[in-house]
Amino acid sequence: STQGKLAAATQRQTTEYMQPFFRSLKKKASHLSISIDLLTTLRSIEPDVLARVTEITHYMQIREYMNANDAYLRLSIGNAPWPIGVTMVGIHERSAREKIFSAQVAHVLNDETTRKWIQSIKRLMTFCQTKYPPDDNSQLMG
């Protein structure tokens, strides 16, 4: 059926998009015995990103999809007041201006590869919620 072909194509695309993430994890694991200075120079997954992915995985395993979705939102758009990177919001300097800076821009905006595997995590979350529904319907994500 058309729906089945679309689902299969989406699954293949998700698998392809997740490959850079898994390669980064393997690279990080294989270099753990190297000194900290060298490890920081290697291009791998940032610790805060890894912490969010771990949090998402934990909540998915215990079927708390609402909490997993909250962790996904923190991963993708963060807690920035302006997640799309706006730094100048008016003509006057405001007292809360220091809260709006480029370090709070979401990881999903860093590069195309990262955006793709983060989007694939969301696809996996949706699939898991369908395949393994929670016992408590209040844990369903939107």
Side-chain angles (χ1 to χ4, degrees):
S1 73
T2 305
Q3 186 179 8
K5 288 179 183 179
L6 182 61
T10 301
Q11 188 270 333
R12 281 191 300 274
Q13 185 182 53
T14 300
T15 302
E16 177 185 323
Y17 286 176
M18 290 298 290
Q19 290 307 312
F21 172 70
F22 292 130
R23 276 195 297 272
S24 294
L25 283 178
K26 285 180 185 178
K27 183 176 13 174
K28 189 170 183 80
S30 67
H31 291 98
L32 284 178
S33 61
I34 299 175
S35 71
I36 299 293
D37 295 330
L38 183 58
L39 185 60
T40 57
T41 62
L42 295 172
R43 184 170 182 253
S44 62
I45 299 173
E46 297 174 24
D48 57 336
V49 173
L50 189 58
R52 293 291 80 75
V53 172
T54 303
E55 185 179 0
I56 291 168
T57 305
H58 168 73
Y59 286 127
M60 296 295 290
Q61 288 175 336
I62 59 175
R63 297 181 185 181
E64 290 186 7
Y65 301 111
M66 187 70 77
N67 293 334
N69 192 49
D70 291 344
Y72 170 78
L73 289 174
R74 284 192 305 278
L75 171 65
S76 61
I77 63 172
N79 290 325
W82 296 88
I84 57 171
V86 176
T87 58
M88 195 62 181
V89 294
I91 59 172
H92 301 293
E93 189 70 23
R94 307 273 181 182
S95 62
R97 171 101 166 60
E98 64 274 2
K99 292 182 181 176
I100 305 172
F101 57 91
S102 60
Q104 289 182 328
V105 174
H107 300 289
V108 74
L109 303 176
N110 286 351
D111 64 317
E112 190 69 12
T113 304
T114 305
R115 183 195 64 77
K116 287 178 178 179
W117 67 255
I118 290 176
Q119 181 182 25
S120 294
I121 288 174
K122 179 63 172 176
R123 286 180 179 170
L124 291 172
M125 290 169 56
T126 304
F127 173 78
C128 286
Q129 179 177 276
T130 304
K131 182 78 173 166
Y132 308 104
D135 296 329
D136 181 13
N137 283 340
S138 69
Q139 285 302 316
L140 289 172
M141 59 183 177

